[in-house]
Amino acid sequence: MKKLQQTFILITCIIVIAVAAAQRDGKIWGEQLSNNKKTTTTNQIDTLRTLDDGTIIINTTYLAKDVKGFGGTVPLNIYIKNGKIEKVEALKNSESPDFFQEASALLTRWNGKTTEQALAMKVDGVSGATFSSRGIIGNMKAGLVYASKKAQQPSIFEKMDLRAKSLIGLLVVLMAAIIPLFVKKKRYRIFQLSLNVVVLGLWGGTFISWSVLVGFMSGGINFWISFVPIVMLITAFIYPLFGKKNYYCSNVCPYGAAQELVGMTNHHKWKMSKRLVQNLEHFRKILFWVLMILMLAGVWSKWMDYELFVAFIFQSTSWVVILIAILFLVLAIFIPRPYCRFVCPMGSLFKLSSTSSVKKLI
């Protein structure tokens, strides 16, 4: 009966995320939500157009519909004149504006190249905007293959992200997902937490946040390039069904790891009264439900851009988020994991999905 209740609450959480995706992006799992079928048929997008001056425009909306960035598809217009790429133009997408602005630096990389030259190029993503970069690069490849009439299905290895950063990140997240289940030694924990911060956080910029979850729900998950976040999702939502509550927060989350490591530098913590702790926990619940109401009502979904996890992607993050993240790290010297325990909206969702009774959440 307890497992059934947990499963029901987990399904409810998934529905909440789906509603949030529909409100914010107007689509679920890559499918545009529209009750007006005429709109869909009359606004068909031309994959290839030719202007009066001979410029060919390739629209990648349909060609790369399975290529996802952070928030969904990243369609492009590729302008080709006299056999060479004149410019690349980004079309409307659901990427975070700050991250996509960083990734947009890639749009000029193919200018002046023939389609063959452009296809042969090895273009690296922009640090701090990895997912958006992948979206742009994948759309360019699909458009160029179409333009050169060499369309072919990519191999499994071409679909996968085999960069060192991704492979090492996958190794670290698998270690975090498995080894703490069996090894409880403090030295190993310090080592694992350090890897979480450095590899998953600072190097890979990979974590679970509301923005990530809503982006996956609205745009779908490209499984070939999302192994690390998929393992994170399993530890966050599946592990609790088998008695491992708060596993992601305690053993995987890069920002949670950073707070714990900072806290290890001081063994004399502030003594907080039981009443104060209860009031702060009550505040976390109130904050969570207020944010949920705002998000589900479509009033203010922008709060997702201010979750402190994005401070790891400091190249593209606002200074306000970075300062708040530093403030909570300072507090973590005196109070164990203050952001996790008393604020984190993502952690509140994990608690909600892993509980067996709704009464505990109110």
Side-chain angles (χ1 to χ4, degrees), residues 43-60:
N43 291 335
Q44 291 293 328
I45 297 169
D46 293 327
T47 299
L48 189 147
R49 291 184 291 131
T50 303
L51 302 182
D52 293 337
D53 65 353
T55 299
I56 296 172
I57 303 176
I58 296 174
N59 185 304
T60 66

Side-chain angles (χ1 to χ4, degrees), residues 68-135:
K68 303 293 192 303
F70 187 78
T73 56
V74 188
L76 305 173
N77 270 341
I78 305 172
Y79 291 75
I80 301 175
K81 187 174 183 180
N82 298 325
K84 293 186 177 181
I85 298 169
E86 190 173 64
K87 69 174 181 176
V88 179
E89 173 186 66
L91 301 177
K92 185 178 179 181
N93 58 64
S94 301
E95 300 297 281
S96 295
D98 291 340
F99 294 158
F100 193 72
Q101 185 176 2
E102 294 286 331
S104 294
L106 292 173
L107 296 176
T108 60
R109 292 290 301 275
W110 296 272
N111 289 358
K113 302 290 192 299
T114 65
T115 55
E116 288 75 15
Q117 290 172 335
L119 273 172
M121 290 173 60
K122 299 292 184 182
V123 179
D124 293 324
V126 175
S127 178
T130 304
F131 286 95
S132 296
S133 297
R134 289 175 187 165

Side-chain angles (χ1 to χ4, degrees), residues 186-361:
K186 185 176 180 180
R187 285 186 178 180
Y188 175 76
R189 182 163 183 81
I190 293 173
F191 174 67
Q192 182 67 61
L193 293 175
S194 301
L195 287 178
N196 293 353
V197 173
V198 175
V199 177
L200 299 181
L202 294 172
W203 193 25
T206 311
F207 43 78
I208 300 299
S209 67
W210 270 98
S211 184
V212 168
L213 288 184
V214 173
F216 281 158
M217 183 60 72
S218 65
I221 301 177
N222 187 334
F223 293 95
W224 296 109
I225 62 173
S226 303
F227 292 132
V228 174
I230 287 172
V231 174
M232 289 181 168
L233 288 172
I234 291 171
T235 61
F237 291 106
I238 306 301
Y239 274 32
L241 296 177
F242 297 92
K244 299 299 179 181
K245 293 184 178 181
N246 302 321
Y247 189 92
Y248 171 81
C249 298
S250 300
N251 299 288
V252 184
C253 176
Y255 192 64
Q259 290 176 82
E260 184 169 339
L261 286 171
V262 168
M264 290 179 182
T265 62
N266 177 28
H267 298 289
H268 303 287
K269 298 292 190 290
W270 289 343
K271 292 184 179 180
M272 301 173 65
S273 68
K274 184 177 180 180
R275 184 179 181 84
L276 176 59
V277 172
Q278 289 175 339
N279 287 337
L280 288 173
E281 290 177 345
H282 189 55
F283 165 77
R284 176 182 58 78
K285 293 178 182 179
I286 293 173
L287 174 65
F288 174 72
W289 290 114
V290 168
L291 293 176
M292 292 304 98
I293 291 170
L294 291 173
M295 180 180 66
L296 295 177
V299 176
W300 188 53
S301 297
K302 192 73 176 173
W303 65 263
M304 291 184 234
D305 295 334
Y306 292 91
E307 289 184 273
L308 300 190
F309 313 112
V310 296
F312 283 110
I313 314 175
F314 54 87
Q315 302 96 327
S316 308
T317 307
S318 77
W319 62 269
V320 174
V321 174
I322 294 174
L323 285 179
I324 296 174
I326 292 173
L327 173 63
F328 272 97
L329 286 178
V330 172
L331 282 175
I333 298 173
F334 309 100
I335 304 171
R337 291 177 173 249
Y339 181 74
C340 303
R341 294 168 62 198
F342 306 127
V343 180
C344 184
M346 193 74 264
S348 295
L349 178 71
F350 296 151
K351 288 179 182 292
L352 173 61
S353 65
S354 62
T355 188
S356 58
S357 173
V358 178
K359 291 181 180 179
K360 295 180 182 179
L361 301 160

